[in-house]
Amino acid sequence: MKLELLNYTPNGEMTIAQAGKLCYSAVGVGEIKEDLSQEEISKYIEMLIRLGHYSPLEHVSFTFAIEGVSRSLSHQLVRHRIASYSQQSQRYVKLDNFQYIIPPAIEANPKAKEIFLKAMEADQEAYGNLVDSLYEKNYEDFLAKGYSQKKAQSQAEKASIEDARYVFPNACETKIVVTMNVRSLLHFFQVRTCNRAQWEIRNLATEMLKICKSIYPAIFSKAGPGCTYGPCPEGPMTCGEMEKVREKFRSI
């Protein structure tokens, strides 16, 4: 997995404090800013989060580039709807040698890994055969519609890979750019850094949290799984390792 922070809102903690205080102030943001020290900003943001006044947090966002992750992960990631996503297309990008993610449990099991690798090889072969099988008919159809030879070739390949991609597995590697505001990120970290989250997205969420916290420690001071600073929200489905989890995320 490759994770890169592309951009984030500058002066984020000040922005949140100004936005929050404006709701209850008779003066403008300029005067509000003059009266705020960093210590006051940190305490104010902590209070906002504690009271559940989250709307000011939406004024600050982070943009990440994520590579070397599976389609299984991206299907989970895009369920977080208050975000923006730009993902590598399998309709327009021909994957002649597709990359894939091997789960650690399969990597550690020689027999399982052998089965897995054979399946990946079969998927790649099937993809190539499907593209070749579909191309000739698609090419003829586009020529019949009056397309030039060059355009018919381009459109025929696009149409062929558009359908051939259905053979690819969840393990197929993908690349995606995601932008989330702080409110969405805090919820994302709460559910996806939990021990009960799937291993791949849990690893991603944890690394994203480290980056966010290093930039704005006041905002993300208590970010992490739901049990980090309170009872486990999973009830009877708890992992039973709350103390270890708390120690881990309080030390990030």
Side-chain angles (χ1 to χ4, degrees):
M1 180 182 70
K2 179 182 177 181
L3 175 65
E4 180 182 354
L5 177 65
L6 297 183
N7 209 344
Y8 64 92
T9 305
N11 304 314
E13 294 178 347
M14 174 63 79
T15 299
I16 291 172
Q18 286 178 285
K21 284 183 173 291
L22 182 66
C23 298
Y24 309 99
S25 175
V27 301
V29 292
E31 292 179 65
I32 291 172
K33 182 178 180 179
E34 291 176 1
D35 295 331
L36 288 174
S37 67
Q38 184 57 50
E39 183 179 358
E40 289 170 325
I41 290 172
S42 298
K43 289 182 178 179
Y44 183 72
I45 291 174
E46 182 180 348
M47 182 192 71
L48 286 178
I49 295 173
R50 185 175 69 251
L51 296 178
H53 186 185
Y54 296 125
S55 61
L57 308 181
E58 296 173 13
H59 296 292
V60 176
S61 64
F62 288 74
T63 299
F64 292 94
I66 304 165
E67 300 181 12
V69 295
S70 70
R71 282 266 171 169
S72 178
L73 181 148
S74 67
H75 290 337
Q76 298 176 79
L77 181 62
V78 298
R79 291 174 189 160
H80 294 270
R81 295 187 294 275
I82 311 301
S84 299
Y85 301 101
S86 300
Q87 186 169 13
Q88 184 185 61
S89 173
Q90 290 182 341
R91 289 184 65 199
Y92 295 96
V93 179
K94 187 179 181 183
L95 303 179
D96 289 319
N97 184 23
F98 87 96
Q99 303 299 307
Y100 47 83
I101 309 304
I102 305 178
I106 293 179
E107 181 70 54
N109 184 317
K111 182 60 178 177
K113 185 175 181 180
E114 180 183 356
I115 296 170
F116 184 88
L117 293 179
K118 285 182 179 179
M120 297 302 103
E121 292 171 5
D123 283 336
Q124 182 69 75
E125 183 178 2
Y127 175 77
N129 291 338
L130 282 169
V131 171
D132 293 341
S133 298
L134 293 167
Y135 179 83
E136 184 175 350
K137 177 65 165 58
N138 286 330
Y139 177 62
E140 292 175 355
D141 289 346
F142 284 114
L143 285 177
K145 292 179 180 179
Y147 284 57
S148 67
Q149 183 179 29
K150 183 177 180 180
K151 188 171 183 180
Q153 290 172 339
S154 174
Q155 292 299 309
E157 179 173 270
K158 175 185 175 297
S160 300
I161 66 176
E162 181 175 337
D163 289 336
R165 65 181 173 147
Y166 277 75
V167 79
F168 280 135
N170 276 341
C172 188
E173 186 265 352
T174 191
K175 301 171 179 63
I176 190 167
V177 172
V178 55
T179 298
M180 287 187 186
N181 66 48
V182 167
R183 183 176 188 171
S184 293
L185 279 168
L186 289 175
H187 176 258
F188 175 70
F189 294 146
Q190 182 179 3
V191 297
R192 298 300 185 177
T193 59
C194 173
N195 273 358
R196 295 197 66 247
Q198 186 257 358
W199 65 269
E200 190 179 14
I201 199 167
R202 184 174 67 244
N203 291 345
L204 171 65
T206 301
E207 293 307 309
M208 288 171 63
L209 172 54
K210 289 178 182 178
I211 292 173
C212 291
K213 195 170 183 178
S214 69
I215 295 171
Y216 291 136
I219 298 174
F220 297 97
S221 63
K222 293 188 177 181
C227 68
T228 307
Y229 289 91
C232 175
E234 297 295 322
M237 294 186 289
T238 179
C239 70
E241 299 182 338
M242 286 186 293
E243 290 306 317
K244 289 183 180 179
V245 172
R246 288 168 178 167
E247 181 179 354
K248 174 182 177 180
F249 284 92
R250 288 176 180 176
S251 63
I252 285 179

